[in-house]
Amino acid sequence: MNGAGGACPRAPGDVDVGSARPRLAGVRRRHARWDSLTEGERYAFALDDMEQLFGPVVRSEYTGVGATQSRTRARYALGQAAMFTPGQLHDLHPATRTVEGRVHFAGEHTSLKPAWIEGALESAVRAFLEVDPR
């Protein structure tokens, strides 16, 4: 429900939160598991998952070079993303994308899809078009 008492409009591809709860719980468990691993253990964890998707070719193609990151342990990230409380996104969204002189803001936190790569990409396109509206 929105603040006016009506149903919130859904964007194409939106997921009913009720049906997503079991999957989201699994994602949270995997995220906690990832953060508990050492960097070396994360490689094995990631390769196991990739092997399930793409088969044994993953092991033969892996060069032994890579990088892993725990957002929870990252000094400047300190977690995944900002999570808005009910009503905050609606109230704060216009201010997050306000142009300040020659400074334009982009990032998932300035989109209507916070914490998603899609929001980051959409905000990048928006900021680019603000700077160069050709």
Side-chain angles (χ1 to χ4, degrees):
M1 300 293 270
N2 66 19
C8 289
R10 288 201 166 290
D14 275 1
V15 176
D16 174 24
V17 174
S19 67
R21 283 192 206 287
R23 193 185 81 194
L24 290 174
V27 168
R28 283 189 203 106
R29 281 192 301 273
R30 291 186 66 73
H31 177 74
R33 172 80 174 124
W34 180 263
D35 286 333
S36 72
L37 300 173
T38 66
E39 185 162 339
E41 291 169 330
R42 284 190 215 127
Y43 288 111
F45 190 76
L47 286 169
D48 289 344
D49 279 359
M50 290 179 65
E51 188 173 25
Q52 288 179 14
L53 290 171
F54 303 110
V57 69
V58 167
R59 302 273 177 191
S60 63
E61 294 291 324
Y62 178 57
T63 64
V65 177
T68 72
Q69 181 179 5
S70 162
R71 288 185 176 177
T72 303
R73 293 181 183 180
R75 181 176 180 184
Y76 297 108
L78 298 176
Q80 181 186 358
M83 294 298 164
F84 297 100
T85 59
Q88 276 188 323
L89 183 60
H90 178 269
D91 294 342
L92 300 175
H93 178 257
T96 65
R97 53 193 291 155
T98 301
V99 177
E100 299 286 339
R102 295 177 57 193
V103 178
H104 295 256
F105 296 92
E108 48 75 30
H109 59 286
T110 68
S111 77
L112 290 174
K113 297 172 184 153
W116 293 95
I117 189 69
E118 185 177 3
L121 294 171
E122 286 177 2
S123 76
V125 170
R126 176 194 44 79
F128 172 79
L129 292 173
E130 289 171 357
V131 172
D132 187 5
R134 286 188 232 173

